[in-house]
Amino acid sequence: MADRALCQGGGVARVLKVSAPLDFAAIRAGAGVPEEFPAEVLAEADRVAADPPLPEHDATDLPLVTLDPPGARDLDQAVHLARTAGGYRVSYAIADVGAFVPLGGAIDAAARRRGQTVYSPDGRTPLHPPQLSEGAASLLPGQLRPAALWTIDLDADGEVTAVDLRRARVRSRAQLDYASVGADVPAELALLPEIGRLLQAHARDRGAIELGTPSQEVEPAPGGGWTIAFRGQSDVEGWNAQISLLTGRCAARLMLDGGVGVLRTLPPPDPGAVETLRRLAPELGVDWPDGAGPGDVIATLDPARPRHAAFLDAATSLLRGAGYTAFDGTPPDQPGHGGVGGPYAHVTAPLRRLVDRFGTEVCLALAAGEQPPAELRAALPELPGLMAASDRRTREVERAVIDLVEATVLAGRVGEVFDAVVLDADEKRSTVVLSDLAVEARCDDPLTPGQRVRVRLVTADPATRIVRFTAAGDRARAPR
């Protein structure tokens, strides 16, 4: 949400440290997140990890690298970018989880119950047993691994000209992370800025709506305790995300042409919501030129400016109704994703998200000129419900973690007055983010979005994870 939009370029804003012991396991338990794998699941994982299936096609000559958050072990993707006579070649190796997880087996059943990996400050609750997700199936550097290898050719303008997908054996050369790459892109990723910017430009041309706003994160602190901060997406993360989106768009095209698959869908923005946002723009100092779409306007905004942050928060109304749509035969009436600006499928994170394994298997069959097997097709209608349930659990955990840390940070400070920025409001209440602390919470007064205000803390209860403010004194000051 744009309520975290107070830092840019991967920066960190207002880091807070919490020393009190916090029970994140209780939050996961309350949300119904399964912690331990049954013995039969671990036994099956041990068997398949001991004898990894290696495809005949050898792509170990590709100097692939992975790019993930620091310390990641569940490495789904490895990339190589090359210049060609006509443009570019994107080689994108995706962990071949389907090679390790037979349909109908114990690991498959456990993964369907889980839906996705759940990340918490004290660790991850994985979709698959660690001996696969952090071991035999992960694209760890220097290790021979099976992969679904996408080869996507682009012309000089970044348009797709050819797509190839096949199983291959690969070996990643290096494990890179966003923090170390930073502004100095290493040789292995020299073309990433060039290709990433081209793909971003095409996304705007398609009418894609990419808010790109920072997120509120809780992480272990050096020496113990926890930190909470707003963290923005760096340029490198944005460019890397474009490679994944490119692959997902190619996967959706394969599925639609083949008449079977599961898409990640989001309805186009409601015209009424667009018009409401258009009317709000001048009130928040946002220029909306004639003929410009909402994505064009959003791309010009500075999330560090309070009124722009409030506009971005309001723009989330354009991205409602996301889900998964399975089909077999007639394509869906609405196959597109409003945020991406076209049809899109999740296929690039199979170690961490259930639906990607099935989408990849469908694409592998179609790319080979075959029809997906009946057992795979039979599973597709179940996926939207399974993913919706796991998304709800994950959101519940993430929100509860943030609420607990915020309430703990502010416990004992009830009655104090803080500077804040108003992000959204209705007739009865508002949402504010504090100017000097990484805290966003409800204010029990209707205020004006985009304004800087003074608010008084009235509740901060770690037991209930509730934080509430009221307006204090001079409600609003001129926004900057």
Side-chain angles (χ1 to χ4, degrees):
M1 287 184 61
D3 49 309
R4 285 96 171 166
L6 297 170
C7 61
Q8 295 178 280
V12 180
R14 290 162 301 164
V15 178
L16 305 174
K17 182 171 181 178
V18 181
S19 298
L22 302 176
D23 192 353
F24 300 119
I27 289 175
R28 292 191 294 272
V33 176
E35 294 278 357
E36 302 298 328
F37 286 97
E40 64 271 19
V41 176
L42 296 175
E44 183 176 288
D46 285 337
R47 287 197 300 274
V48 296
D51 186 22
L54 292 174
E56 290 186 12
H57 182 67
D58 189 340
T60 53
D61 60 323
L62 273 175
L64 297 159
V65 297
T66 59
L67 181 59
D68 293 273
R73 296 284 298 173
D74 46 355
L75 308 183
D76 286 291
Q77 314 110 6
V79 65
H80 176 252
L81 306 172
R83 199 181 298 277
T84 64
Y88 309 92
R89 171 162 289 180
V90 175
S91 300
Y92 208 37
I94 306 301
D96 190 358
V97 180
F100 291 91
V101 182
L103 287 173
I107 303 173
D108 181 35
R112 295 192 200 202
R113 288 191 294 270
R114 290 172 178 244
Q116 61 190 286
T117 296
V118 178
Y119 294 89
S120 303
D122 56 345
R124 61 180 68 88
T125 308
L127 173 63
H128 301 100
Q131 53 264 62
L132 295 181
S133 61
E134 300 179 21
S138 179
L139 301 181
L140 297 166
Q143 303 301 311
L144 192 62
R145 291 289 188 260
L149 179 61
W150 292 84
T151 304
I152 304 171
D153 286 340
L154 308 174
D155 64 19
D157 295 323
E159 294 281 7
V160 176
T161 60
V163 178
D164 181 80
L165 171 64
R166 64 185 66 194
R167 282 192 153 97
R169 57 180 72 188
V170 301
R171 182 181 284 109
S172 171
R173 298 291 201 273
Q175 181 176 353
L176 307 178
D177 63 67
Y178 299 123
S180 62
V181 169
D184 298 321
V185 179
E188 296 93 337
L189 297 174
L191 289 174
L192 184 60
E194 189 173 334
I195 296 173
R197 290 189 181 105
L198 281 173
L199 295 175
Q200 287 171 334
H202 283 303
R204 289 192 292 273
D205 291 342
R206 295 193 307 271
I209 299 174
E210 300 177 342
L211 297 180
T213 51
S215 60
Q216 201 174 11
E217 297 180 4
V218 177
E219 298 176 345
W226 310 95
T227 61
I228 180 172
F230 292 112
R231 297 187 182 275
Q233 185 184 70
S234 67
D235 288 339
V236 172
E237 289 175 90
W239 300 326
N240 192 49
Q242 287 298 323
I243 302 299
S244 180
L245 291 169
L246 168 69
T247 307
R249 291 192 292 114
C250 292
R253 188 73 268 156
L254 261 177
M255 294 175 183
L256 289 168
D257 290 346
V260 59
V262 56
L263 303 174
R264 180 62 165 164
T265 52
L266 178 71
D270 178 75
V274 174
E275 185 55 33
T276 298
L277 195 65
R278 189 189 303 273
R279 290 197 300 269
L280 179 64
E283 297 179 26
L284 295 175
V286 172
D287 182 36
W288 194 314
D290 291 341
D296 298 318
V297 175
I298 288 167
T300 68
L301 301 184
D302 178 0
R305 296 175 60 182
R307 292 200 291 175
H308 286 190
F311 185 88
L312 290 169
D313 186 78
T316 60
S317 65
L318 307 180
L319 301 176
R320 290 177 179 164
Y324 293 89
T325 302
F327 65 100
D328 194 344
T330 304
D333 293 334
Q334 200 298 100
H337 190 290
V340 176
Y344 172 64
H346 274 158
V347 294
T348 62
L351 288 172
R352 295 170 282 157
R353 195 168 48 210
L354 174 71
V355 69
D356 298 53
R357 166 164 56 97
F358 290 86
T360 295
E361 290 300 315
V362 168
C363 287
L364 282 164
L366 295 174
E370 304 169 355
Q371 286 298 306
E375 188 178 11
L376 177 63
R377 301 170 88 115
L380 298 182
E382 300 177 24
L383 295 174
L386 293 174
M387 292 307 302
S390 70
D391 282 344
R392 284 193 296 271
R393 285 195 302 269
T394 299
R395 286 194 299 269
E396 182 179 342
V397 170
E398 291 173 347
R399 187 64 257 171
V401 165
I402 296 295
D403 289 346
L404 173 60
V405 176
E406 289 179 333
T408 304
V409 165
L410 293 172
R413 302 186 67 175
V414 171
E416 291 188 29
V417 175
F418 300 84
D419 291 326
V421 174
V422 183
L423 295 158
D424 61 40
D426 57 28
E427 315 80 50
K428 297 182 179 180
R429 60 183 63 89
S430 312
T431 301
V432 299
V433 61
L434 302 188
S435 299
D436 298 318
L437 300 175
V439 171
E440 172 254 322
R442 197 177 91 182
C443 177
D444 293 324
D445 292 284
L447 301 170
T448 303
Q451 289 192 305
R452 295 182 181 272
V453 297
R454 300 272 285 168
V455 293
R456 189 181 307 278
L457 180 64
V458 294
T459 303
D461 184 358
T464 59
R465 303 194 291 270
I466 292 176
V467 173
R468 292 288 183 270
F469 293 89
T470 59
D474 53 334
R475 283 191 175 192
R477 294 177 289 169
R480 297 196 296 269

